[in-house]
Amino acid sequence: MDIEFLFLALGLAALFAGFVDSIVGGGGLIQLPALFTAFPQAAPATLFGTNKLASVIGTGSAAIQYSRRVAIPWRVAGPGALAALVGSWYGAKAVAYLDPAILRPLILVLLVLVAIYTFVRKGLGSVSVEPEHGWRSVLLALAIGGSIGFYDGFFGPGTGSFLIFLFIRLLGMDFLRASVSAKILNVATNAAAIAFFVGNVELMWKLAAVMAACNLTGAILGSRMALKHGVGFVRKMFLGVVVVLIARLSYDTFLR
């Protein structure tokens, strides 16, 4: 395949991934399969690391865009990000010892439950019902950050969606507040995974740079659209991404 066409195709995939990921997460659902299709013989760790390099700038940009219009609950987002950073490092390290595919059936079940719960609870995340964040909230944020951070470093699909759902369900945020909080944690998980991969895996730096620029463009467009259309739009996008994730994991689990 011509290298220019390959870069163009992967750049477009990164653009769309950045757009979706900036709103509700799930960009890896687009970007990772594109990389595996383009480089079927490459080591999975190389592609995972390249994907993280291409995503982290877009995720950081989305967090900045949201923070200009939505107050970041640093009381929980800060500790959660720290726990996510540590969890993601050890998750990336665990890839060398365990096959991430062993998680696929469990993640599929969890995503189905998340989709059903969100669909049935029409008012979920429509308004913020956050308490004054004390130590209970901090401990919950640490638990969410550590566990989902490990998952993101180890496997990844649906990380943003799980973070958003847990911030809404356990910490009472609305979809926009949950989304910006999820972006803060996602920056931490991506940074930790990159730190591990850079020192241990050969990465595709030129391709990652092109995809990062495209991912950044998509992230700016997506975050602006989310802020313009509000909570209802983000909720619909969230359900749509979760349904696509379920379909993808179902195919990988039962049909591949």
Side-chain angles (χ1 to χ4, degrees):
M1 185 181 294
D2 185 81
I3 190 65
E4 286 82 5
F5 176 79
L6 189 64
F7 271 50
L8 175 62
L10 289 171
L12 289 173
L15 178 81
F16 188 42
F19 178 85
V20 173
D21 200 66
S22 68
I23 302 172
V24 289
L29 179 70
I30 302 161
Q31 212 162 252
L32 263 178
L35 282 166
F36 273 93
T37 299
F39 301 100
Q41 305 303 318
T46 293
L47 299 183
F48 276 115
T50 302
N51 174 65
K52 294 294 185 186
L53 282 171
S55 300
V56 67
I57 295 176
T59 303
S61 170
I64 292 170
Q65 292 286 325
Y66 280 115
S67 68
R68 291 172 179 167
R69 296 270 298 277
V70 181
I72 299 174
W74 286 110
R75 173 76 173 173
V76 292
L82 181 62
L85 187 140
V86 175
S88 182
W89 170 272
Y90 282 102
K93 197 171 182 179
V95 173
Y97 305 100
L98 296 170
D99 181 3
I102 63 175
L103 284 181
R104 196 175 287 137
L106 174 61
I107 300 307
L108 179 58
V109 171
L110 290 176
L111 283 169
V112 170
L113 293 176
V114 165
I116 293 171
Y117 189 89
T118 306
F119 183 79
V120 171
R121 295 288 297 273
K122 303 294 184 184
L124 182 73
S126 59
V127 294
S128 176
V129 290
E130 292 175 70
E132 183 175 344
H133 291 306
W135 283 108
R136 179 180 180 276
S137 294
V138 172
L139 290 174
L140 281 171
L142 287 169
I144 292 169
S147 57
I148 302 300
F150 181 89
Y151 169 72
D152 190 37
F154 183 65
F155 189 45
T159 294
S161 300
F162 282 130
L163 286 172
I164 289 171
F165 178 79
L166 291 172
F167 282 139
I168 292 170
R169 181 66 184 84
L170 299 181
L171 295 175
M173 298 181 186
D174 62 30
F175 269 100
L176 278 176
R177 296 253 303 169
S179 187
V180 68
S181 300
K183 295 295 168 290
I184 301 299
L185 269 69
N186 254 157
V187 170
T189 62
N190 284 346
I194 288 170
F196 175 81
F197 285 128
V198 164
N200 296 276
V201 175
E202 183 180 350
L203 301 176
M204 302 176 180
W205 290 96
K206 289 183 180 179
L207 176 61
V210 171
M211 294 180 70
C214 295
N215 190 282
L216 172 62
T217 302
I220 292 171
L221 294 173
S223 53
R224 287 180 178 176
M225 184 169 288
L227 289 168
K228 179 180 179 180
H229 295 287
V231 169
F233 171 74
V234 178
R235 183 180 189 275
K236 291 175 183 176
M237 282 288 294
F238 174 82
L239 278 169
V241 167
V242 170
V243 168
V244 173
L245 276 165
I246 290 169
R248 172 72 196 208
L249 286 173
S250 296
Y251 172 79
D252 289 342
T253 303
F254 302 113
L255 298 177
R256 176 169 289 186

